[in-house]
Amino acid sequence: ERLAVELAAAATPTTIAGGTDDGNQINAVPLGTSSLRLRWTDAAWGIESGVRYIGRQYLDEANRHALPDFATVDASGWARIARARVTARVANLLDRHIVDTGFLGAIGDERFIPAAGIHGTIAISLD
């Protein structure tokens, strides 16, 4: 009961119906996503780590400007201290330099919006 493995995946082949781009992938929708998480919990503490994969996606409906697929790793841990639960999380643990979205500019130039590098959060909640 203390160890959990979670695997999730989604295929999202959402295509345009009709017009000049008929059959192309809808822009800004990845072809698929998946994640694998490992969790160890106890009544007083827990740790978790996971890998998240985002498939290729396109900036345009013509599917001429692709964003490559990517994967990130994250980790978190929590502990109970009296009535408080303290949680710390680090995302993009390997500090991957990735672009997770973007758009085409007025003259057709690619404008990429990079994802955050390694970053973390700390939260405290009271029961």
Side-chain angles (χ1 to χ4, degrees):
E1 291 182 13
R2 293 180 183 192
L3 178 65
V5 178
E6 177 183 291
L7 175 64
T12 50
T14 52
T15 56
I16 298 169
T20 58
D21 297 316
D22 184 54
N24 288 354
Q25 178 75 2
I26 293 176
N27 56 311
V29 177
L31 293 170
T33 61
S34 62
S35 67
L36 173 64
R37 307 202 65 72
L38 238 44
R39 183 179 309 120
W40 177 269
T41 58
D42 191 283
W45 62 274
I47 56 174
E48 180 176 310
S49 185
V51 176
R52 180 177 64 107
Y53 168 79
I54 305 295
R56 185 180 67 240
Q57 56 186 305
Y58 297 95
L59 298 177
D60 62 323
E61 293 175 351
N63 291 177
R64 291 189 192 118
H65 302 270
L67 290 178
D69 58 340
F70 64 89
T72 59
V73 176
D74 63 7
S76 62
W78 61 92
R80 285 202 177 280
I81 303 168
R83 293 184 46 220
R85 177 178 163 141
V86 179
T87 305
R89 180 174 186 266
V90 178
N92 196 1
L93 192 61
L94 302 177
D95 199 20
R96 301 270 326 267
H97 298 283
I98 54 176
V99 173
D100 61 356
T101 191
F103 61 95
L104 294 179
I107 58 172
D109 54 323
E110 295 175 336
R111 303 287 179 105
F112 300 119
I113 301 172
I118 187 171
H119 59 284
T121 57
I122 296 176
I124 300 173
S125 58
L126 299 174
D127 292 336

